[in-house]
Amino acid sequence: MGSQSAWVLWLAVSLATVAEGTVKSAEEVLSAQGLRKLSTCFALPEEAELTKGVRQVESLKRDLLDAQKEMAQRKQAVDDKRKLVVSLMAQRRQLGQQLAAAQSVDARNRVVAAMNEVGDRLVLLLNSKVEEQSLQAAVTKVNQLSEQYIEQLLKMRELYDSVSAKYQTLAGDGSVKAALAKYNEESQRNYSLGPSATFLSNGRRLAKLEESVLSDSIELRRGPGGLWHVTAVFNGSHSADMAIDTGASMVVLPWRVAQQMGVKPGDEDRSVRLQTADGRTMMGKMVVVDRIRVGRFTVENVECVIMPEQMHEGLALLGLSFFKHFNFRIDNASGKLTLAKVDSGEVGRSGPGR
């Protein structure tokens, strides 16, 4: 009787060992396909890379939104400074009128003293570049973070699509199906082939993040000097043929084009020194255009330089005061301009065209 019990025990252990070996063999087949066992499924290891990458994208977006808020504050400081300069220039003109009408020496002296005070404030404001430099630093930071954010987002989309394609291939692989069925049969479990729930959740997170990235591809055409040209719409009603010049810090309009676009400088607009390609210098006027649209994108409050009236002809240049709001790329082979930006939902910068 004791020998029979021992034989039964030996048989049970042997069968368990065989079953364990079968399960291990099935798992090895799945492992050879690059799959690893999670809590409920066999998944590809790239899923962990995707999870890490999506977290990085979300972190970059938070940093970018903070930088955009900082840029908006810096821009407001520059706008406030510009408004103060305009106000002081108006005060100075009024004081000049009062000086001309003054009837006594004391009255003239008071007006002159007031004019000197206003003049001193104007000199300090115009000579100080603190606000403009702070804004430029903020714009540079936003552009850098925006580029990093879009690049990382595109990488994670490519990875997600690649892993999804691998799962589709594995799902149609008979050896994978057989190994999975055998593993479940022998282990008495109910494992499935990935993707895991985490992977699908990361896909939804990616799709949500992608909603914040706007892009447009615009056809270009060659113009004089071999420069690429594009049509820009000013204030929703006037269109101009403009040469793309990313080396120009501002949008530049010849006098004639500015008149056609309804952009007319006033006495209060700041004078700026211009230098042409042939080395000549002249004084132009700095104005702020309410809206400029290219393709589906509109940028509001764009700084623009108007060339003097004697320079009524020439090329209109689309410069960095427009392009700084975007990640942009010119494909010389296809003749297309690609603009992309992160839509932060903030007002007063740039967005889909109106």
Side-chain angles (χ1 to χ4, degrees):
M1 187 72 176
S3 61
Q4 184 177 3
S5 298
W7 182 84
V8 171
L9 179 60
W10 173 83
L11 179 61
V13 171
S14 297
L15 290 172
T17 302
V18 171
E20 182 181 353
T22 304
V23 170
K24 183 177 182 181
S25 177
E27 187 172 348
E28 285 176 348
V29 171
L30 296 171
S31 178
Q33 294 289 344
L35 296 164
R36 63 179 187 175
K37 186 170 65 175
L38 301 182
S39 59
T40 61
C41 69
F42 282 88
L44 291 166
E46 291 95 323
E47 285 201 13
E49 181 184 350
L50 181 72
T51 296
K52 181 180 178 181
V54 170
R55 288 173 181 165
Q56 290 175 343
V57 174
E58 291 173 335
S59 177
L60 281 169
K61 184 175 182 181
R62 288 191 293 270
D63 292 343
L64 176 58
L65 291 176
D66 289 341
Q68 287 175 329
K69 291 177 183 176
E70 176 69 16
M71 184 178 72
Q73 293 172 357
R74 299 301 182 187
K75 184 177 183 300
Q76 185 61 53
V78 170
D79 289 343
D80 290 344
K81 175 182 175 180
R82 183 182 296 115
K83 291 176 183 177
L84 181 56
V85 167
V86 171
S87 175
L88 290 173
M89 291 178 70
Q91 289 182 39
R92 189 170 61 178
R93 286 196 298 272
Q94 292 174 356
L95 288 169
Q97 295 171 356
Q98 294 176 21
L99 181 62
Q103 299 295 319
S104 67
V105 174
D106 288 342
R108 290 177 59 85
N109 288 341
R110 285 194 299 270
V111 174
V112 169
M115 289 182 68
N116 289 339
E117 181 181 352
V118 170
D120 290 342
R121 292 183 65 188
L122 274 172
V123 169
L124 288 174
L125 286 171
L126 293 175
N127 287 341
S128 174
K129 301 299 180 184
V130 173
E131 293 83 0
E132 290 80 3
Q133 290 170 352
S134 296
L135 174 58
Q136 185 55 52
V139 168
T140 299
K141 184 177 181 180
V142 165
N143 288 341
Q144 290 173 344
L145 285 171
S146 180
E147 185 174 347
Q148 293 173 22
Y149 172 70
I150 293 173
E151 181 179 355
Q152 182 69 5
L153 184 57
L154 292 175
K155 284 182 179 179
M156 290 306 102
R157 168 50 65 187
E158 183 178 354
L159 177 60
Y160 182 88
D161 291 344
S162 173
V163 174
S164 296
K166 286 183 180 180
Y167 275 127
Q168 289 181 357
T169 300
L170 289 170
D173 190 319
S175 64
V176 172
K177 289 180 181 179
L180 189 58
K182 193 65 175 177
Y183 182 89
N184 286 333
E185 177 186 350
E186 300 297 339
S187 66
Q188 297 183 350
R189 302 290 296 273
N190 190 27
Y191 274 77
S192 62
L193 174 66
S196 68
T198 299
F199 180 83
L200 297 175
S201 174
N202 283 329
R204 292 189 292 270
R205 289 160 68 186
L206 270 179
K208 186 68 175 176
L209 289 165
E210 286 170 333
E211 290 177 359
S212 67
V213 177
L214 308 174
S215 65
D216 193 14
S217 184
I218 300 134
E219 295 283 347
L220 301 176
R221 53 191 175 276
R222 287 291 187 185
L227 293 174
W228 286 114
H229 282 234
V230 69
T231 299
V233 180
F234 284 68
N235 297 327
S237 56
H238 303 283
S239 61
D241 181 73
M242 304 193 72
I244 294 176
D245 186 354
T246 56
S249 60
M250 298 288 172
V251 171
V252 179
L253 296 179
W255 181 270
R256 177 183 56 79
V257 176
Q259 297 297 305
Q260 292 172 349
M261 296 302 101
V263 180
K264 300 178 181 180
D267 294 337
E268 71 280 1
D269 291 315
R270 181 160 57 96
S271 296
V272 293
R273 187 176 298 279
L274 304 174
Q275 185 170 9
T276 61
D278 59 8
R280 289 179 297 166
T281 59
M282 62 196 69
M283 299 303 293
K285 283 285 190 176
M286 176 78 75
V287 301
V288 176
V289 177
D290 290 341
R291 300 193 309 277
I292 296 180
R293 178 174 63 81
V294 173
R296 68 188 291 255
F297 285 115
T298 296
V299 178
E300 298 181 351
N301 302 319
V302 185
E303 288 186 327
C304 178
V305 174
I306 309 300
M307 298 177 72
E309 189 170 0
Q310 63 269 26
M311 294 291 295
H312 61 279
E313 298 294 339
L315 289 177
L317 304 178
L318 193 64
L320 289 181
S321 57
F322 176 85
F323 283 113
K324 69 182 181 182
H325 298 277
F326 305 97
N327 294 99
F328 62 91
R329 181 173 60 87
I330 296 175
D331 188 334
N332 289 309
S334 63
K336 289 185 177 181
L337 166 69
T338 300
L339 298 176
K341 72 174 292 290
V342 179
D343 182 15
S344 66
E346 296 195 24
V347 177
R349 291 213 308 278
S350 58
R354 286 182 285 171

